[in-house]
Amino acid sequence: SPRARRRRMHRGLAVPFSSLARRLSTALIVRPAHATGAVPGVSKSPSHLGMRPRRASMPPNKRARPAPGASPPASPATPGKATAAKRSRTSRPGVKPEANDSSALSFGEVRDVHAALAAMSARDPVLAGLIAEAGVLPRIAQCQAARAATHEPHRAFRALARAIVFQQLHGAAAATIFSRVAALAGAEADATRLTPESILAADETRLRACGLSQRKLEYLRGLAEAFTAAPEGGGLGDAALESASDADARAALVALRGVGPWTVDMFSMFHLNRADVLPVGDFGVRKGMMLAYGLNSMPSPAKMEAIAENWRPTRTLASFYMWHAADAAKKEKHAPETTGNES
């Protein structure tokens, strides 16, 4: 009868459906990665179930169109500039590349800043963390650019004059005073006109009116006299300071009134680009070291020397990152800017 034929057909289909159910339940069991060769957290293609994944498609008239004025997507065969630049850079451990980094970035006698940062990172894990977080600091490239102006006369005098004016003052106030002094010397539009001769020719009363204390006025005029004296009489000049060793340059500068160890350190770092300077008297470097290394108080010069032993022979570059650590903490607290101190 028709009813008997339907019962026989249903019994014949029961085996294939139960077999398929067993296959599906077995395939959905989560197995350890070492047993299946799968990567945890990554699902496999359903091809092992005997099925090919279907490609999602849209009817031609339903495809997404770019918005009016939008740029067309870059062709896979011709990657965009950012991708090409990223592939062209050589990554180094502990150093995060920046968009404007150059593989030829140097600092004084350091011909490869990236290699120097990587070497320090390998020796000091705390410094490595700062370098990895901040990348190559813009200050390093700015120092390199400043070295391109070595042809300008009286560069050393201007750098030291600025350092004297900035001693023990808030950065904004010091910058205002220095700009007034430059304007009085006729160097408002052209910095190269700030010379030893222009300072000596300026009226002392008007220099005081720029905001200089009597002591700083004496320091500034003494500096100008040292740079106008003959070399054989102990006079200073750009060429002599550039060619002097670190020790000789320090001895010649510290002999000047108003030029102490901190001023010499700043001059050596930012003007001469000497690579192995550790400014133990700088408040910002001390503060950054205390924060970065989890110290309970500001480190003494001896403590700073001990920590910085792993930074040799590029302690200047590492000091830049101590400033960065101090500045980052200062921004979080919205505290006023700190500057270096001079005794």
Side-chain angles (χ1 to χ4, degrees):
S1 65
R3 181 176 296 177
R5 284 197 298 271
R6 283 196 298 270
R7 281 199 296 268
R8 286 195 298 272
M9 181 178 68
H10 290 163
R11 282 196 299 269
L13 291 175
V15 174
F17 276 116
S18 63
S19 176
L20 179 60
R22 283 195 300 272
R23 290 175 62 190
L24 287 172
S25 62
T26 302
L28 293 175
I29 293 175
V30 178
R31 298 183 180 181
H34 68 269
T36 63
V39 179
V42 179
S43 61
K44 292 183 68 176
S45 167
S47 59
H48 68 289
L49 300 179
M51 297 179 288
R52 295 183 61 186
R54 297 180 62 186
R55 294 182 60 184
S57 60
M58 296 177 62
N61 59 345
K62 297 290 185 179
R63 295 183 187 273
R65 293 185 173 90
S71 302
S75 169
T78 57
K81 293 181 180 179
T83 304
K86 183 176 180 181
R87 290 177 180 175
S88 65
R89 296 193 196 102
T90 303
S91 60
R92 301 181 188 271
V95 181
K96 181 175 66 176
E98 298 290 337
N100 58 352
D101 280 352
S102 168
S103 60
L105 183 62
S106 62
F107 184 88
E109 61 267 35
V110 177
R111 293 294 172 242
D112 189 341
V113 166
H114 296 84
L117 296 179
M120 288 193 295
S121 296
R123 297 190 297 266
D124 187 333
V126 174
L127 180 61
L130 291 174
I131 294 173
E133 180 270 330
V136 179
L137 295 175
R139 179 175 301 185
I140 299 174
Q142 291 165 2
C143 288
Q144 183 192 41
R147 296 294 294 166
T150 53
H151 63 283
E152 295 179 356
H154 306 299
R155 290 180 66 250
F157 170 77
R158 287 194 297 276
L160 289 168
R162 186 178 188 277
I164 288 174
V165 172
F166 272 67
Q167 288 172 10
Q168 298 179 330
L169 288 178
H170 187 280
T176 299
I177 295 173
F178 188 71
S179 65
R180 291 172 182 167
V181 171
L184 180 61
E188 185 174 17
D190 183 3
T192 61
R193 298 184 67 181
L194 181 61
T195 65
E197 293 78 9
S198 66
I199 292 296
L200 292 174
D203 180 73
E204 290 191 10
T205 304
R206 297 183 66 186
L207 283 171
R208 284 293 309 277
C210 292
L212 290 175
S213 66
Q214 180 61 39
R215 179 169 294 183
K216 284 193 177 182
L217 173 60
E218 294 172 1
Y219 292 165
L220 197 58
R221 291 183 67 86
L223 178 70
E225 290 171 357
F227 272 84
T228 53
E232 56 271 18
L236 299 176
D238 290 341
L241 290 171
E242 289 282 353
S243 60
S245 65
D246 290 353
D248 290 343
R250 176 174 290 270
L253 293 172
V254 171
L256 299 171
R257 289 188 65 203
V259 179
W262 179 82
T263 300
V264 175
D265 286 340
M266 298 303 104
F267 178 79
S268 299
M269 296 169 77
F270 291 101
H271 180 80
L272 298 178
N273 284 181
R274 300 296 168 91
D276 199 33
V277 178
L278 178 65
V280 296
D282 185 84
F283 181 87
V285 173
R286 295 176 66 207
K287 183 73 171 181
M289 187 176 283
M290 182 188 76
L291 296 171
Y293 290 84
L295 305 179
N296 294 326
S297 60
M298 298 282 272
S300 65
K303 180 67 173 179
M304 295 177 71
E305 292 279 0
I307 291 175
E309 190 62 31
N310 284 330
W311 303 348
R312 292 182 183 272
T314 51
R315 292 181 296 175
T316 298
L317 298 179
S319 297
F320 289 163
Y321 286 89
M322 297 303 106
W323 273 315
H324 172 77
D327 289 343
K330 181 175 57 185
K331 290 176 182 178
E332 290 180 1
K333 296 182 179 180
H334 302 285
E337 182 180 2
T338 58
T339 60
N341 294 330
E342 181 65 275
S343 56

